[in-house]
Amino acid sequence: MKVKKVFNNNIILAEDAKLLEVILMGKGIGYSVNPGDIPSEEKIEKVFRIDSEELQNRFVKLVNDIPINHIELTKK
């Protein structure tokens, strides 16, 4: 796995071996980590991923139905 984005000390976005994005949670997993680094396996407590193509399609459809200003608001 490779870190793509650090959200905070406990949550990061990473890319797995299949080049799919996953959310990793764990105490201190994002501390002193930069994009491109390999996350510490011992710190991973939870992994969130969309495995099936059907779920991916449903998720994309759902996101497309959300107004962009709502997405921007949640990002802030």
Side-chain angles (χ1 to χ4, degrees):
M1 272 193 246
K2 185 169 42 170
V3 175
K4 287 186 74 174
K5 184 176 182 178
V6 178
F7 293 109
N8 60 38
N9 285 340
N10 303 314
I11 303 172
I12 61 173
L13 174 67
E15 194 173 76
D16 67 8
K18 296 179 183 177
L19 302 179
L20 298 174
E21 289 184 338
V22 295
I23 301 289
L24 304 176
M25 290 179 65
K27 188 173 182 181
I29 195 168
Y31 183 73
S32 296
V33 176
N34 297 307
D37 292 347
I38 297 172
S40 173
E41 295 287 331
E42 314 72 62
K43 293 184 178 179
I44 298 173
E45 295 174 10
K46 294 182 181 180
V47 178
F48 298 92
R49 74 178 79 218
I50 298 177
D51 288 329
S52 75
E53 189 172 327
E54 178 188 347
L55 284 175
Q56 288 176 349
N57 292 335
R58 287 174 52 197
F59 180 74
V60 169
K61 185 175 186 277
L62 175 67
V63 170
N64 286 334
D65 291 341
I66 299 173
I68 190 69
N69 59 338
H70 291 188
I71 295 172
E72 289 173 353
L73 180 64
T74 58
K75 185 177 179 183
K76 289 179 184 179

